[in-house]
Amino acid sequence: MAASLRCFLRSGKRAVLVAVRRGIHSSSPAAVQVTVRDALNQAMDEELERDERVFLLGEEVAQYDGAYKVSRGLWKKYGDKRIIDTPISEMGFTGIAVGAAMAGLRPICEFMTFNFSMQAIDQVINSAAKTYYMSAGLQAVPIVFRGPNGSSAGVAAQHSQCFAAWYAHCPGLKVVSPWNSEDARGLLKAAIRDDNPVVFLENELMYGVPFEVSDESLSKDFTIPIGKAKVERQGSHITLVSHSRFVGHCLDAAAVLAKEGVDCEVINLRTIRPLDVECIEGSVMKTNHLVTVEGGWPQFGVGAEICARIMEGPAFNFLDAPVTRVTGVDIPMPYAKILEENSIPQVKDIIFSVKKTLNV
Amino acid sequence: MLTNISNVLRTCAQRNGAAAVVSARTYSDFTTQATFEIKKCDVFKLDEAPATQVVMTRDEGLQYYRTMQTMRRMELKADQLYKQKIIRGFCHLYDGQEACAVGIEASINLKDHLITAYRAHGYTLTRGGTVKEIMAELTGRRGGIAKGKGGSMHMYCKNFYGGNGIVGAQVPLGAGVALACKYKGTDELCVCLYGDGAANQGQIFETYNMAALWKLPLIFICENNRYGMGTSVERAAASTDYFKRGEFIPGLRVDGMDILCVREATRFAADHCRSGKGPILMELQTYRYHGHSMSDPGVSYRTREEIQEVRSKSDPISLLKDRLLSNNMASVEELKEIDVEVRKEIEDAAQFATTDPEPPLDELCNHIFSNSPPVEVRGTNPWTKLKSLS
């Protein structure tokens, strides 16, 4: 079933979809489930087809089908010219990708994980992000840097860092962090179509997770605007703001808290930079309480920025309590399972923080 | 021809109307082209080498002279303006190396691509920038080639990707441009320059590997001016045979002070690339008269005698001038005329560069993103909200 779903989704034939829908219920549509991996794969496939200038490069993206199989089937379909396996040379191939973007192509540069992007971070910041400004608009850099970010499972300290705060610090970059399949699809298509450098932070643990996606999102021109957050759950007592995998944790926490009479509003940031402050402010002005949840370290992080922005804006006067940040523990990621589990926010940590903030 | 007539008339006028018999030299007196014997290049992993007998026409000679002289005077004027504190920050001058920029451009065309590091004013000129917009960029005015936003190290124009401040970073970028040329199926190539200091950067070796692997149409050019800032090549590199450092990439070592050597080697290299053979590496042995930048007097790590020796024996403009004169391809007066014109062009440009207004403050935040709707940018405090347009 999954294979046939993948088949018709990839070919974009919606007729079969309609048939499935009619076949099962005449009243309600069957849910189309797509994993985050497949959503990313389809988005890239469609954009490669749509625009000849788009190409993918990175380690193992072609013949291996992608280290995490995100680019499965693309090399077979598009060949060596459009899907390029690189040697293990991050600084070199990232620079090559940026140069290709400067010369008019639209590269997707994959980092096997964002930890390895540190080797190439000069090319991302100094060659990509700053160039449009330095050239006073003469030289654009339409490039997407994508790959898994943040903690995984048992990969230890050098492979578990979250780079959202590092990249979001820099003007000239757009930084995007999808949570579910619809986010992944819409934001990746938007990122590829954007004429600017976009850092696209995926999450390895989310790749295999299936989500229901709307019919609308399956259209080849479906994009999600970069810079707009989404309210995933409406609520009135407290606002939870998160990005990537922890949006799911927030929703789980909200479900538990609902049974205890605490009504949480959950915001999925979708984009880290530019931050959708208005969405957060609007929510805080309604709920009067705010908890931020992220996987990254606390100091100088996403939550820290949200706190500062709330203080500087109209929502501050609506706060009944200081903003609470729920973050990863301020240590390099340990290996042992029990240690790793206790290094990142768990649902119970979010529940605890909500109750403390609400003083219940 | 008109120059010659005016020379004659001027000479007559100077002699107060006395019957001055000055032999009028008309254009037909000049040799229209001549063949020159140039130094043979050292080669690496190549069966052939660039030609050692080359032809230069009078027109070419005059054009090279004019361009090199313009470049020279432009850099010297920048030196002056820097000392007057009208130019600030970094200023890395190119005087002494003119034969490299002009020689390279002589064998490629404006549809080809070029990228270099921070000693970039000369290349901005050969790639199509005007002296006026280069100088105004140095002085940070709105008429600058990057509207005053970039400065000395960040000048751009069509098919010229700067001007790059991070040592070595421009090399993978250049390979990316070459990849785009190959991808698009054009016969364009990319010339990618770096210095003897940058030659030890790891990312350059990563680029050698990928360029060779993918047969990119890329000419790597190492401008070896003997010093990376204050460090001589002997103190920086285990192997100073920069033309061999590409290991599996064919290389040439070229006399970078002789414009005809540079031109011929570039022609050879361009043919190599355009015939699909992949990348090639040229080392240009050259010299900078100034220190590394305007904050470096340039005499703590080398002797004044050395600088003087290069100036007297190997100056690229003098070498060309001698060739033109001794082969009867131009007259002293003609070259002086060019000097006068160049001086005027530089003066006018400097005048513009010092009087043009600075960029308007309300454009501070523009050009963050391309093709995007206007956004708000935080100023230095939360109440200051600035506007950013594409």
Side-chain angles (χ1 to χ4, degrees):
Chain A
M1 177 60 179
S4 56
L5 258 175
R6 268 201 288 278
C7 278
F8 80 72
L9 283 168
R10 226 174 260 141
S11 60
K13 290 192 174 62
R14 306 202 49 224
V16 181
L17 221 169
V18 171
V20 167
R21 208 192 301 153
R22 284 210 196 105
I24 296 176
H25 289 287
S26 50
S27 49
S28 58
V32 179
Q33 295 245 320
V34 180
T35 61
V36 172
R37 176 184 288 110
D38 288 342
L40 294 167
N41 183 285
Q42 285 150 29
M44 285 198 285
D45 190 353
E46 288 167 14
E47 295 305 300
L48 282 157
E49 193 165 52
R50 175 181 179 269
D51 188 337
E52 267 185 357
R53 300 167 298 173
V54 176
F55 71 100
L56 172 66
L57 93 171
E59 294 156 11
E60 311 299 345
V61 296
Q63 297 188 19
Y64 197 83
D65 272 337
Y68 300 99
K69 308 300 177 205
V70 178
S71 54
R72 189 197 290 124
L74 296 180
W75 174 69
K76 204 159 172 200
K77 183 171 176 185
Y78 294 101
D80 287 330
K81 180 181 164 182
R82 315 274 310 275
I83 313 292
I84 304 177
D85 273 337
T86 65
I88 308 173
S89 309
E90 272 77 7
M91 202 167 179
F93 74 67
T94 306
I96 285 178
V98 175
M102 289 179 174
L105 298 183
R106 303 187 73 92
I108 304 169
C109 177
E110 178 175 304
F111 292 119
M112 198 180 279
T113 76
F114 264 94
N115 300 283
F116 315 136
S117 74
M118 273 203 283
Q119 311 226 286
I121 199 165
D122 174 68
Q123 295 288 2
V124 178
I125 307 300
N126 281 318
S127 301
K130 297 180 185 172
T131 295
Y132 193 68
Y133 186 86
M134 292 193 294
S135 67
L138 281 175
Q139 181 65 69
V141 188
I143 188 168
V144 176
F145 302 101
R146 51 159 289 274
N149 175 59
S151 59
S152 178
V155 294
Q158 294 178 343
H159 289 72
S160 305
Q161 189 169 330
C162 175
F163 288 85
W166 281 32
Y167 287 115
H169 186 60
C170 302
L173 283 182
K174 297 188 185 182
V175 180
V176 154
S177 184
W179 164 53
N180 63 17
S181 300
E182 196 157 314
D183 288 353
R185 178 181 168 71
L187 288 171
L188 185 55
K189 284 162 92 61
I192 293 167
R193 296 183 192 197
D194 200 305
D195 288 342
N196 297 288
V198 180
V199 170
F200 192 90
L201 305 171
E202 300 162 7
N203 187 293
E204 201 227 315
L205 297 173
M206 297 304 294
Y207 282 150
V209 179
F211 288 92
E212 223 171 272
V213 292
S214 64
D215 285 348
E216 186 214 352
S217 75
L218 293 170
S219 145
K220 283 194 173 165
D221 283 322
F222 172 72
T223 57
I224 289 177
I226 292 177
K228 286 271 163 277
K230 182 179 182 210
V231 178
E232 298 285 351
R233 184 189 194 283
Q234 301 260 10
S236 50
H237 294 152
I238 187 164
T239 303
L240 301 177
V241 179
S242 186
H243 71 99
S244 189
R245 181 158 168 258
F246 298 92
V247 175
H249 285 37
C250 289
L251 289 168
D252 292 345
V256 172
L257 287 161
K259 296 200 192 99
E260 299 177 42
V262 176
D263 190 29
C264 302
E265 179 144 294
V266 177
I267 297 179
N268 171 9
L269 281 176
R270 286 178 157 180
T271 300
I272 314 291
R273 181 179 181 116
L275 195 65
D276 190 353
V277 187
E278 283 87 42
C279 180
I280 307 173
E281 282 172 341
S283 178
V284 170
M285 295 199 286
K286 184 176 69 169
T287 67
N288 312 124
H289 299 84
L290 178 58
V291 172
T292 69
V293 182
E294 68 196 284
W297 294 316
Q299 299 196 40
F300 308 92
V302 177
E305 176 66 16
I306 292 173
C307 288
R309 298 277 271 267
I310 291 295
M311 284 212 291
E312 288 181 350
F316 174 71
N317 290 310
F318 288 77
L319 283 172
D320 286 346
V323 178
T324 298
R325 295 176 296 161
V326 177
T327 70
V329 176
D330 205 9
I331 53 172
M333 182 66 74
Y335 166 67
K337 190 155 192 271
I338 188 172
L339 297 180
E340 184 179 57
E341 278 168 359
N342 283 280
S343 301
I344 51 167
Q346 301 183 37
V347 176
K348 64 175 169 65
D349 298 319
I350 302 172
I351 294 170
F352 172 81
S353 298
V354 166
K355 288 181 175 173
K356 284 288 264 192
T357 309
L358 287 170
N359 205 17
V360 298
Chain B
M1 164 141 175
L2 289 169
T3 314
N4 294 310
I5 294 171
S6 72
N7 281 340
V8 172
L9 290 169
R10 207 181 301 127
T11 323
C12 287
Q14 282 163 3
R15 294 191 191 176
N16 297 322
V21 179
V22 175
S23 57
R25 298 192 59 191
T26 65
Y27 71 90
S28 60
D29 278 353
F30 291 120
T31 322
T32 48
Q33 66 177 54
T35 307
F36 297 90
E37 185 80 31
I38 56 173
K39 228 181 265 174
K40 189 173 198 300
C41 294
D42 293 321
V43 298
F44 175 70
K45 299 229 160 124
L46 280 167
D47 296 322
E48 289 165 345
T52 50
Q53 295 245 328
V54 298
V55 172
M56 179 173 70
T57 69
R58 177 181 133 80
D59 286 343
E60 283 170 347
L62 290 173
Q63 189 241 306
Y64 302 156
Y65 181 84
R66 181 184 290 273
T67 312
M68 289 204 286
Q69 192 69 290
T70 305
M71 209 177 279
R72 174 68 59 90
R73 299 248 66 93
M74 179 177 78
E75 295 295 80
L76 294 179
K77 178 56 78 175
D79 168 286
Q80 226 177 56
L81 292 174
Y82 194 93
K83 287 172 175 151
Q84 293 172 280
K85 298 196 197 292
I86 298 171
I87 297 178
R88 324 168 304 122
F90 289 132
C91 191
H92 307 87
L93 298 177
Y94 198 66
D95 50 311
Q97 301 187 209
E98 296 87 356
C100 297
V102 182
I104 290 168
E105 196 63 48
S107 284
I108 60 173
N109 59 66
L110 287 173
K111 285 199 300 147
D112 291 318
H113 307 261
L114 191 142
I115 188 169
T116 186
Y118 48 76
R119 201 175 301 280
H121 309 158
Y123 289 99
T124 316
L125 189 68
T126 52
R127 286 264 99 196
T130 64
V131 181
K132 213 164 151 186
E133 53 193 2
I134 293 170
M135 302 216 76
E137 187 59 35
L138 292 175
T139 56
R141 308 301 165 103
R142 63 180 72 183
I145 200 168
K147 303 194 170 82
K149 304 279 270 288
S152 169
M153 301 184 293
H154 308 296
M155 301 193 190
Y156 303 80
C157 57
K158 188 171 195 315
N159 295 346
F160 176 57
Y161 305 84
N164 286 275
I166 306 297
V167 173
Q170 75 278 13
V171 179
L173 293 179
V177 173
L179 184 108
C181 292
K182 186 170 182 181
Y183 188 103
K184 292 189 212 174
T186 65
D187 71 343
E188 294 159 19
L189 51 79
C190 183
V191 175
C192 179
L193 295 124
Y194 55 95
D196 49 278
N200 300 312
Q201 270 270 312
Q203 56 187 317
I204 293 186
F205 293 86
E206 294 186 11
T207 310
Y208 289 154
N209 183 38
M210 286 182 274
L213 202 56
W214 300 333
K215 287 201 155 55
L216 300 181
L218 184 63
I219 305 178
F220 289 96
I221 301 189
C222 177
E223 281 183 293
N224 176 4
N225 61 17
R226 309 195 208 168
Y227 301 93
M229 201 154 147
T231 306
S232 68
V233 293
E234 298 79 39
R235 293 204 303 127
S239 163
T240 55
D241 289 334
Y242 296 102
F243 70 117
K244 292 183 184 172
R245 301 278 293 273
E247 196 188 338
F248 33 78
I249 295 179
L252 296 167
R253 182 159 51 193
V254 182
D255 178 0
M257 303 308 269
D258 179 349
I259 192 181
L260 294 180
C261 280
V262 178
R263 186 187 77 170
E264 204 54 40
T266 308
R267 177 174 302 159
F268 181 91
D271 286 343
H272 177 102
C273 283
R274 285 193 229 276
S275 60
K277 295 195 183 124
I280 187 167
L281 206 170
M282 275 166 55
E283 177 190 339
L284 302 179
Q285 294 186 302
T286 183
Y287 199 83
R288 52 167 164 81
Y289 295 141
H290 269 86
H292 162 72
S293 71
M294 285 305 297
S295 51
D296 169 26
V299 288
S300 61
Y301 47 87
R302 54 187 192 171
T303 62
R304 284 180 212 274
E305 288 74 44
E306 179 187 280
I307 305 170
Q308 197 35 48
E309 180 162 14
V310 177
R311 234 190 243 282
S312 56
K313 298 211 181 112
S314 318
D315 183 276
I317 300 177
S318 300
L319 287 179
L320 176 65
K321 185 174 177 181
D322 289 344
R323 278 199 175 121
L324 290 172
L325 293 176
S326 58
N327 284 277
N328 195 30
M329 293 174 84
S331 71
V332 171
E333 293 81 22
E334 194 173 19
L335 296 181
K336 274 212 176 81
E337 184 77 34
I338 294 177
D339 291 349
V340 166
E341 284 164 12
V342 165
R343 224 172 272 261
K344 177 159 199 318
E345 186 184 358
I346 304 301
E347 276 312 315
D348 288 349
Q351 179 62 14
F352 175 74
T354 49
T355 54
D356 197 42
E358 287 188 289
L361 267 183
D362 58 14
E363 287 179 21
L364 174 68
C365 299
N366 288 355
H367 308 122
I368 296 285
F369 290 130
S370 170
N371 202 15
S372 284
V375 289
E376 208 173 68
V377 171
R378 188 189 194 277
T380 58
N381 60 66
W383 297 276
T384 308
K385 299 194 203 294
L386 306 169
K387 192 127 177 245
S388 173
L389 302 174
S390 269

